[in-house]
């Protein structure tokens, strides 16, 4: 790797999303936009579209072992003044330009521990290789000695890199690397809806805390506080550092930061258009698993949405538990599908429902872009305050409302009526 190269650091969808953007997203993530999902978003794997990944389709839910999820990735780009990633448009090309892969771009995936996330990242990494990128799989969490080994192996490339591309600025691993190897130019690619929170916290000079966490300083947070504080400064523009946010989400650029639009041009050019089914598809969320939404409320609403919209399939989020998915299948009759790839790619390849209904997540922003011109309607179901758990973060309701309110390409479904399942309606 030459000294003129750029190094990207990120996590992938799902987000990423996940973990469908135009830049190689570190595997969130995924975001992760994955897909898409809040923490998932996390950027996904290093692929031309942030938040989406390569893929082979989807598979019925089978519990752990079915891959789907975000990870962490690093990628050197090509130097100052160049796009943050191979798929980012060159100046003057327009947002829908799809440049070829850069020979100077190397991608390192910081492998997560979760088997589902690892599986999806493996497929995303292969897609990146198929697109001409150099991808290295780094077992960054493989037991004792993994951290020291990772720092030793990545230290040289990170010091030499002109640009660092970050897929998950909330990742403690990423923050440690930024602390030790301060980059001259930083690009943050979509990590799902977490990108919105990152931009807001950066603008306000706040501590970087994921939106669904309360932000209490426990023993671990106190220990890592110096790292987090320095990493936040490394992610802020300064006299000797530029910062760019590459995103499909509606974010306000913090002072001194440049925002570049991700229009999902690569995804649309590479896949589809999809064949449409006559019914609807539901998109799941990990709001129950992250302690935000009550499980019984969630299951009740999933059933009502399925009946109202004639849905036949439920695309599960990678973090949803097998127990919850089993209940959804049994109680609603929906076919539960664990996507092997970020949902933007699954939907773009098809077949897909003529209507896609989701709870507040990255996909209500990314799917309208990925599916533009296909005739697919995307709808987002708002989260009623009474669905939240008493222990949910005080910021949860406002954040989720913001995700819905800024999703200009999706129809809004507002729950109304009593708490009884048979009276729940959507206007």
């Amino acid at each position: 790797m030459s000294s003129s190269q750029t190094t990207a650091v990120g996590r992938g969808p799902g987000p990423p999303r996940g973990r469908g953007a135009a830049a190689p997203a570190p595997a969130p993530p995924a975001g992760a936009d994955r897909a898409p999902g809040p923490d998932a978003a996390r950027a996904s794997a290093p692929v031309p579209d942030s938040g989406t990944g390569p893929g082979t389709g989807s598979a019925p839910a089978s519990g752990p072992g079915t891959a789907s999820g975000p990870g962490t990735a690093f990628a050197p780009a090509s130097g100052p003044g160049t796009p943050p990633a191979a798929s980012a448009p060159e100046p003057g090309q327009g947002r829908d330009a799809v440049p070829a892969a850069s020979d100077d771009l190397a991608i390192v995936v910081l492998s997560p521990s979760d088997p589902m996330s690892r599986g999806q990242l493996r497929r995303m990494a292969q897609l990146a290789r198929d697109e001409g990128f150099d991808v290295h799989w780094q077992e960054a969490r493989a037991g004792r000695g993994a951290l020291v080994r990772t720092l030793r192996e990545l230290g040289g490339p990170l010091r030499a890199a002109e640009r660092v591309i970050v897929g998950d600025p909330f990742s403690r691993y990423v923050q440690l690397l930024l602390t030790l190897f301060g980059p001259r130019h930083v690009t943050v690619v979509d990590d799902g809806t977490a990108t919105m929170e990152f931009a807001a916290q950066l603008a306000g000079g706040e501590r970087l805390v994921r939106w669904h966490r309360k932000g209490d300083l426990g023993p671990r947070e106190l220990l890592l506080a110096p790292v987090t504080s320095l990493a936040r400064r490394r992610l802020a523009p300064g006299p000797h550092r530029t910062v760019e946010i590459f995103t499909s989400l509606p974010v306000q650029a913090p002072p001194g930061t440049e925002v570049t639009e991700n229009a999902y041009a690569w995804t649309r050019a590479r896949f589809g258009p999809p064949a449409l089914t006559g019914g609807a598809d539901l998109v799941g969320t990990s709001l129950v698993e992250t302690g935000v939404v009550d499980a019984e409320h969630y299951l009740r609403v999933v059933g009502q949405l399925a009946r109202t919209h004639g849905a036949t399939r439920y695309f599960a989020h990678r973090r949803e538990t097998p127990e919850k998915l089993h209940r959804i299948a049994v109680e609603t009759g929906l076919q539960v599908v664990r996507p092997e790839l970020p949902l933007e790619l699954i939907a773009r390849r098809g077949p897909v429902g003529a209507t896609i209904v989701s709870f507040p997540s990255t996909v209500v922003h990314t799917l309208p872009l990925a599916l533009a011109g296909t005739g697919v309607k995307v709808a987002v179901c708002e989260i009623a305050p009474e669905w939240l758990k008493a222990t949910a973060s005080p910021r949860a309701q406002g954040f989720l409302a913001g995700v819905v309110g800024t999703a200009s390409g999706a129809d809004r479904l507002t729950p109304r009526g009593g708490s009884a399942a048979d009276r729940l309606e959507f206007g």
Side-chain angles (χ1 to χ4, degrees):
M1 181 187 311
S2 69
S3 61
S4 64
Q5 289 179 321
T6 304
T7 301
V9 182
R11 309 183 40 199
R17 150 170 153 299
R19 23 85 60 198
D33 274 146
R34 127 209 327 31
D39 181 16
R42 329 174 198 71
S44 290
V47 290
D49 276 352
S50 133
T52 58
T56 53
S58 54
S62 56
T66 310
S68 153
T72 308
F74 295 75
S78 45
T82 58
S87 310
E90 295 280 2
Q93 284 185 311
R95 69 178 189 177
D96 289 328
V98 186
S102 167
D103 292 336
D104 293 329
L105 178 63
I107 299 169
V108 179
V109 179
L110 300 183
S111 174
S113 302
D114 171 49
M116 298 185 67
S117 298
R118 290 171 65 90
Q120 188 179 75
L121 282 176
R122 287 285 189 190
R123 285 183 287 276
M124 296 174 74
Q126 186 56 52
L127 178 60
R129 293 186 183 101
D130 293 344
E131 294 292 321
F133 294 102
D134 175 27
V135 182
H136 171 68
W137 187 272
Q138 181 79 28
E139 291 290 355
R141 298 170 174 84
R144 297 180 62 182
L147 174 60
V148 174
R149 183 171 60 253
T150 297
L151 294 177
R152 183 176 63 247
E153 294 177 3
L154 298 185
L158 283 168
R159 288 192 189 94
E162 187 68 26
R163 178 178 298 275
V164 175
I165 303 176
V166 179
D168 180 11
F170 293 98
S171 164
R172 296 292 185 254
Y173 216 129
V174 170
Q175 290 177 0
L176 176 61
L177 289 167
L178 289 178
T179 299
L180 297 176
F181 311 105
R184 292 178 289 277
H185 304 283
V186 180
T187 294
V188 178
V189 297
D190 266 343
D191 183 32
T193 50
T195 307
M196 300 166 68
E197 190 75 347
F198 165 72
Q201 292 178 5
L202 183 64
E206 303 171 18
R207 191 164 57 94
L208 298 180
V209 181
R210 297 189 192 277
W211 68 269
H212 56 82
R213 295 181 180 169
K214 292 187 175 181
D216 298 333
L217 287 177
R220 181 172 180 271
E221 291 301 316
L222 286 172
L223 179 65
L224 294 172
V227 171
T228 301
S229 178
L230 182 53
R232 187 186 61 77
R233 293 197 293 273
R234 300 282 199 197
L235 288 165
H240 305 291
R241 180 170 47 256
T242 66
V243 177
E244 175 188 27
I245 301 176
F246 181 78
T247 179
S248 61
L249 299 168
V251 302
Q252 292 294 322
T257 300
E258 178 184 359
V259 173
T260 302
E261 181 185 8
N262 166 18
Y264 275 68
W266 179 86
T267 299
R268 293 195 304 273
R270 184 72 170 76
F271 300 100
L276 304 187
T277 67
D281 291 326
L282 297 187
V283 178
T285 177
S286 61
L287 291 174
V288 172
E289 285 73 11
T290 51
V292 176
V293 171
D294 175 77
E296 295 305 319
H297 276 299
Y298 183 83
L299 291 167
R300 177 174 59 86
V301 175
V302 166
Q304 184 62 46
L305 287 171
R307 291 189 294 272
T308 300
H309 295 277
T312 57
R313 294 185 300 179
Y314 178 94
F315 286 97
H317 188 279
R318 66 182 178 277
R319 289 193 177 88
E320 291 188 82
T321 64
E323 294 77 16
K324 189 180 83 173
L325 295 177
H326 176 73
R327 286 192 61 185
I328 288 174
V330 171
E331 296 176 18
T332 69
L334 289 165
Q335 176 193 1
V336 175
V337 178
R338 278 201 184 272
E340 294 183 349
L341 306 167
L343 193 58
E344 293 85 352
L345 287 185
I346 294 293
R348 184 71 197 178
R349 292 169 55 142
V352 67
T355 299
I356 298 177
V357 180
S358 175
F359 293 95
S361 72
T362 308
V363 298
V364 303
H365 290 271
T366 59
L367 284 179
L369 295 173
L371 295 172
T374 64
V376 175
K377 182 177 73 172
V378 178
V380 54
C381 177
E382 296 179 321
I383 301 296
E386 58 268 24
W387 301 353
L388 299 182
K389 298 185 68 173
T391 53
S393 166
R395 298 182 297 159
Q397 183 65 39
F399 179 81
L400 293 171
V403 171
V404 174
T406 56
S408 59
D411 294 339
R412 294 174 65 171
L413 303 176
T414 303
R416 62 191 182 201
S419 59
D422 59 356
R423 294 190 57 198
L424 186 62
E425 299 177 355
F426 296 92

